[in-house]
Amino acid sequence: MNEMENILVVNNLQTTFKTDAGDIRAVDGVSFTVPKGKTIGIVGESGSGKSITSLTILRLLASNGRVNGGEVLFKGKDLLKLPEKAMREIRGNQISMIFQEPMTSLNPVYTVGQQIGETIQIHKKVGKKEAIQQSIEMLKLVGIPSPEKRVKQYPHELSGGMRQRVMIAMALACDPEILIADEPTTALDVTIQAQILELIKDLQNRLGMSVIMITHDLGVVAETCDYVAVMYAGQVVEYSDVRSLFKNPKHPYTLGLLNSLPRHDIEQEKLIPIKGMVPSPHEMPVGCRFAPRCPVATELCHNKMPQLLNTNDSNAEQIRCWMFSDEWDGDSEVTLYGEKRTIKG
Amino acid sequence: MAKKELLKVEGLKQYFPIKGGFLGRTVNHVKALDGISFTVYEGETVSIVGESGCGKSTTGRAILRLEEPTEGSVTFQGTDLTKISTREMRKFRKDLQIIFQDPYASINPRQTVASLLNEAMHIQNVLPANERRARIEELLETVGLRPYQADRYPHEFSGGQRQRIGIARALSVDPKLIICDEAVSALDVSIQAQVLNLLEELQDEYGLTYLFISHDLGVVRHISDRIIVMYLGKIVEIADKTSLFENPQHPYTKALLSAIPVPDPDAVKNRIVLKGDVPSPIDPPAGCRFHTRCPFATDKCRTEEPLLRTTSAMKGEHEAACHYIEEIAAGTMIEK
Ligand SMILES: Nc1ncnc2c1ncn2[C@@H]1O[C@H](COP(=O)(O)OP(=O)(O)OP(=O)(O)O)[C@@H](O)[C@H]1O
Ligand SMILES: Nc1ncnc2c1ncn2[C@@H]1O[C@H](COP(=O)(O)OP(=O)(O)O)[C@@H](O)[C@H]1O
Ligand code: SF4
Ligand code: SF4
Ligand SMILES: [Mg+2]
Ligand SMILES: [Mg+2]
């Protein structure tokens, strides 16, 4: 069905952290594909495993973290099996990442020019002078006014929005094929966020890269993504194209999330919250992880974990919910967050 | 229904001194609030919105005199709070409560929930000591927690639950006005919706008045009756909820609303992307403070300060501070 080339395919990723209180399965069943030149969103609430997913892909986990299973196929090659040296090449040249907090990833004692210049020197194998020149070009590209002046400044002399632009300039300095953006605008004001999102989209169109946009903001997802993976408690529960996700959300959690969202663009009567709260990573439910909060959970849901399965015969849409399987043991008509639904089974 | 004034803020200024030089003299000021006025009526929810640093929290803190305002008055039920002694102010703390964004910052981690609530009631002398335990359990149920959780410590609760504890503490002294400073901003949407619904239910039940400070326009549209938009220490627009979202007049309000991503992939976007950053409040632009980013700015805007005013196209108490409201609406202003 899918004619598009997938530049990245993530299959059933499993990442565990050792802690004093026992092991945490931070990522436990994450799968998605990134078609070339497209943007895929990873959306989910705090602690659902979004950042750990991206750090696992780039193999940048903290020392107490371990990948227990799954594969990360970048142009067919499993990144999890590469030697560290080859991985370093990929990280600098083909897959770049920008982080939520630019201050933590910019070095305060070096000027903006030195930092971008270093990346350029390493990856393009050019001299220092040329690197600075190219840094100025990069700053211009990301829309920083008077870039000749800015290259000589230190990160603390820039505003939050400008720092984020510098981060993007650094990430793009090596012409990556994939840009992973982890909450790139969460710390910014909306008018600045609008500038940065526009910038990322514009650069993507010009440079033809693929983007993995990690966010908890459903507005950002709707606006920037082509495909979306919804995460809950370390797992992808729904993967689909952005339009189906918003127009026809299938997983009860996705529906609950959309119903909880206060909107600025329309008048809403009442919010319909999801009851309860996310399970503690130390006490994950044995069955469906959403079962303790799901309004239609059944015996089966509580006892057996559903798999992430294709809904049609294409893999463009996948759901992790018993309701979409032949094994469903609940009613064939259910009401979910005020919405009536008939289950085909 | 006649509206009853509960809080009236007039000409409020808050200048923070900047010390410098080797003598540590005041070399300049951060003009966090530069003369703002508004009224809050009994039983309503008024929100203050705007970008980081525009003075939202400072407004809340100045009203409560957590910071002594530089100038202006804050009249609560007829008493000017800026004129009374600290001692007298303490009595008013009972009527005016605040809930912060970070529940950890405002809750003592070594205190059980019961002792926290007990302390609040003790300070304000709301109930005889022997009746407080029952009241504490009742309060916990009111905010959706269980009575047995009274003897637990804050770290044993989730973020959403800690926010509920903050609400219970505010309620424990029977306040009239609650200032919510980004009270739901740190919460995930599914939990945020629970807390927003709770705040609305409590308002209906106890006739509470809220001054709701938030940068999230979705939350604000949901909870507010009226909305104040701030930019760099000034009010640029004030209106009832419907007017503000359906008929915004100030160019900044329009840009702000248009900048918010809409959770609908089919939404039609007419985004106004503002250039540049918010200027420094130490040396704010002369004339209209928005002129450095406004697409319509003229020479007049650069020198003359626009005052809040209303036009025939604006309903009710809707006001905006811009020289060119009519011209912009008529489409006769040249956009840069
Ligand atoms: N104690 C202080 N000393 C000096 N400057 C201050 C002080 N408190 C606040 N400011 C400054 O006053 C201005 C307004 O701050 P305020 O905290 O009210 O912003 P805000 O609108 O609440 O922003 P946010 O959305 O980030 O919470 C900012 O420029 C801030 O840096
Ligand atoms: N170094 C670590 N040690 C132990 N647990 C961790 C570590 N890093 C992350 N976690 C846990 O992994 C889970 C997923 O985290 P993360 O991916 O950062 O979430 P988010 O979706 O907010 O980005 C959380 O429960 C978090 O507390
Ligand atoms: S599997 Fe069951 S509990 Fe889980 S989301 Fe589907 S219906 Fe709800
Ligand atoms: S007064 Fe001038 S600068 Fe200010 S908002 Fe109106 S048009 Fe723009
Ligand atoms: Mg994260
Ligand atoms: Mg604030």
Side-chain angles (χ1 to χ4, degrees):
Chain A
M1 291 278 294
N2 210 332
E3 298 298 326
M4 261 176 303
E5 186 192 336
N6 289 325
I7 187 155
L8 190 80
V9 178
V10 174
N11 274 329
N12 204 17
L13 215 54
Q14 322 259 340
T15 305
T16 313
F17 288 103
K18 275 207 180 335
T19 73
D20 293 342
D23 284 4
I24 288 180
R25 300 165 89 170
V27 168
D28 193 12
V30 167
S31 308
F32 58 84
T33 50
V34 184
K36 193 169 161 42
K38 300 282 178 193
T39 298
I40 99 127
I42 301 183
V43 65
E45 296 181 282
S46 109
S48 59
K50 305 180 295 296
S51 298
I52 299 307
T53 297
S54 58
L55 295 176
T56 307
I57 293 171
L58 284 174
R59 297 199 5 212
L60 290 172
L61 290 172
S63 58
N64 63 332
R66 233 195 89 181
V67 185
N68 292 7
E71 42 182 21
V72 177
L73 303 174
F74 174 61
K75 298 201 273 193
K77 241 182 332 198
D78 189 353
L79 297 185
L80 300 179
K81 298 216 171 77
L82 286 187
E84 177 53 31
K85 186 155 171 284
M87 192 59 215
R88 224 173 300 145
E89 283 282 299
I90 300 251
R91 239 182 256 137
N93 288 312
Q94 285 147 307
I95 308 179
S96 286
M97 177 151 179
I98 47 182
F99 298 89
Q100 176 168 356
E101 279 296 331
M103 258 336 233
T104 57
S105 29
L106 289 174
N107 194 329
V109 302
Y110 292 109
T111 64
V112 165
Q114 286 167 329
Q115 298 187 54
I116 307 178
E118 196 195 332
T119 316
I120 293 175
Q121 260 180 294
I122 296 171
H123 299 294
K124 296 206 174 146
K125 317 233 166 2
V126 296
K128 203 166 179 180
K129 235 175 149 178
E130 173 61 24
I132 294 288
Q133 202 47 47
Q134 287 193 22
S135 308
I136 295 174
E137 288 305 311
M138 287 310 298
L139 290 181
K140 207 179 282 169
L141 183 72
V142 297
I144 290 187
S146 17
E148 299 81 6
K149 255 191 239 148
R150 296 295 180 188
V151 279
K152 297 189 195 118
Q153 289 186 316
Y154 293 89
H156 70 89
E157 298 178 77
L158 307 177
S159 69
M162 274 198 257
R163 275 182 223 139
Q164 202 56 281
R165 283 168 191 266
V166 169
M167 282 284 304
I168 295 174
M170 270 171 71
L172 297 182
C174 61
D175 296 332
E177 290 171 65
I178 301 178
L179 175 70
I180 303 180
D182 189 356
E183 312 253 10
T185 56
T186 303
L188 305 175
D189 278 322
V190 281
T191 62
I192 308 299
Q193 165 171 282
Q195 296 172 1
I196 299 289
L197 293 180
E198 192 117 316
L199 170 70
I200 293 178
K201 224 189 271 180
D202 180 50
L203 293 173
Q204 175 176 31
N205 288 339
R206 278 200 266 164
L207 309 174
M209 61 184 178
S210 314
V211 176
I212 300 178
M213 179 70 76
I214 296 175
T215 178
H216 66 273
D217 186 330
L218 288 159
V220 171
V221 171
E223 224 156 79
T224 60
C225 300
D226 301 299
Y227 296 88
V228 190
V230 180
M231 286 191 67
Y232 185 78
Q235 303 183 318
V236 170
V237 296
E238 179 157 1
Y239 175 83
S240 77
D241 68 273
V242 70
R243 208 163 173 282
S244 318
L245 190 94
F246 283 91
K247 297 294 163 183
N248 188 12
K250 299 210 171 51
H251 195 282
Y253 174 66
T254 312
L255 189 65
L257 206 55
L258 288 168
N259 275 313
S260 316
L261 188 67
R263 307 256 307 243
H264 75 279
D265 59 319
I266 49 169
E267 203 61 58
Q268 285 159 302
E269 266 302 299
K270 208 169 154 51
L271 301 175
I272 309 170
I274 300 174
K275 66 171 207 247
M277 53 190 173
V278 290
S280 144
H282 296 284
E283 297 161 276
M284 284 295 182
V286 289
C288 170
R289 292 191 171 168
F290 190 57
R293 304 175 78 185
C294 182
V296 298
T298 64
E299 274 289 310
L300 176 66
C301 300
H302 285 290
N303 294 318
K304 203 171 152 196
M305 187 193 288
Q307 299 302 306
L308 184 65
L309 298 173
N310 297 353
T311 49
N312 309 319
D313 44 357
S314 89
N315 63 355
E317 184 174 82
Q318 300 180 311
I319 311 287
R320 186 190 291 278
C321 172
W322 286 121
M323 234 192 278
F324 296 85
S325 78
D326 298 334
E327 286 176 69
W328 175 245
D329 60 340
D331 297 340
S332 57
E333 288 243 337
V334 296
T335 306
L336 255 180
Y337 302 109
E339 213 170 85
K340 273 211 166 32
R341 219 182 240 197
T342 310
I343 295 151
K344 292 175 206 90
Chain B
M1 196 177 67
K3 291 194 287 187
K4 233 170 105 192
E5 229 172 73
L6 185 68
L7 179 80
K8 194 180 179 86
V9 171
E10 283 175 293
L12 194 63
K13 287 190 184 175
Q14 185 69 268
Y15 289 3
F16 296 106
I18 301 170
K19 307 280 184 202
F22 62 96
L23 293 175
R25 274 188 309 225
T26 299
V27 293
N28 218 329
H29 286 95
V30 176
K31 296 177 177 126
L33 287 180
D34 210 4
I36 65 163
S37 307
F38 61 91
T39 306
V40 179
Y41 300 101
E42 238 167 59
E44 72 170 346
T45 300
V46 175
S47 290
I48 305 182
V49 304
E51 294 178 282
S52 182
C54 69
K56 305 182 294 293
S57 300
T58 304
T59 306
R61 297 175 61 82
I63 290 170
L64 293 176
R65 269 180 69 188
L66 296 175
E67 224 93 59
E68 292 298 327
T70 310
E71 215 179 288
S73 64
V74 174
T75 311
F76 182 78
Q77 291 193 313
T79 309
D80 184 351
L81 300 182
T82 63
K83 298 277 171 353
I84 60 177
S85 68
T86 338
R87 215 191 137 89
E88 282 175 294
M89 185 60 208
R90 215 167 291 148
K91 274 186 283 174
F92 280 96
R93 290 265 148 80
K94 176 184 168 314
D95 293 330
L96 296 128
Q97 286 288 306
I98 187 160
I99 306 170
F100 294 104
Q101 163 166 11
D102 180 6
Y104 250 135
S106 54
I107 293 175
N108 177 351
R110 279 181 291 278
Q111 226 176 352
T112 63
V113 173
S115 116
L116 186 87
L117 299 183
N118 186 55
E119 185 186 79
M121 289 192 265
H122 171 75
I123 291 170
Q124 291 301 341
N125 204 1
V126 259
L127 268 184
N130 62 355
E131 289 171 31
R132 283 189 209 136
R133 178 71 196 196
R135 174 72 180 138
I136 288 168
E137 296 189 354
E138 190 184 292
L139 278 166
L140 289 182
E141 290 202 302
T142 306
V143 299
L145 296 170
R146 303 276 159 73
Y148 72 83
Q149 293 175 309
D151 300 309
R152 303 218 164 154
Y153 293 89
H155 74 260
E156 298 176 62
F157 294 93
S158 69
Q161 288 176 322
R162 281 200 293 269
Q163 206 50 282
R164 288 170 193 267
I165 297 169
I167 296 171
R169 180 171 63 170
L171 287 178
S172 70
V173 298
D174 297 324
K176 298 200 169 74
L177 176 77
I178 300 183
I179 299 178
C180 304
D181 189 352
E182 303 282 4
V184 299
S185 304
L187 305 175
D188 280 318
V189 278
S190 73
I191 306 299
Q192 177 179 277
Q194 296 172 357
V195 176
L196 285 174
N197 283 354
L198 172 66
L199 286 172
E200 285 181 317
E201 285 157 26
L202 295 174
Q203 179 164 51
D204 290 346
E205 200 170 324
Y206 301 106
L208 294 169
T209 306
Y210 293 135
L211 185 60
F212 200 89
I213 295 170
S214 177
H215 69 278
D216 185 329
L217 276 293
V219 168
V220 163
R221 178 164 199 168
H222 186 76
I223 198 143
S224 317
D225 296 304
R226 288 189 305 129
I227 296 159
I228 294 169
V229 184
M230 288 186 66
Y231 186 78
L232 215 53
K234 296 260 186 202
I235 294 178
V236 298
E237 187 155 4
I238 178 164
D240 62 275
K241 166 168 71 178
T242 313
S243 298
L244 194 98
F245 281 96
E246 303 294 339
N247 189 28
Q249 295 295 322
H250 196 281
Y252 176 66
T253 311
K254 291 183 198 176
L256 187 67
L257 291 175
S258 84
I260 310 164
V262 179
D264 177 356
D266 292 342
V268 197
K269 277 157 233 150
N270 292 311
R271 178 146 302 155
I272 307 160
V273 177
L274 289 178
K275 303 250 164 10
D277 291 320
V278 182
S280 157
I282 296 170
D283 195 11
C288 174
R289 292 189 174 193
F290 186 53
H291 84 241
T292 55
R293 300 172 86 197
C294 181
F296 302 107
T298 66
D299 284 340
K300 181 177 177 182
C301 304
R302 284 181 271 273
T303 51
E304 239 175 84
E305 185 182 334
L307 300 177
L308 281 171
R309 65 194 181 97
T310 187
T311 71
S312 56
M314 295 153 81
K315 282 205 297 258
E317 293 179 41
H318 188 173
E319 290 182 309
C322 168
H323 293 307
Y324 299 110
I325 302 175
E326 295 87 345
E327 290 83 349
I328 292 169
T332 56
M333 287 298 283
I334 299 158
E335 210 172 320
K336 281 187 290 293

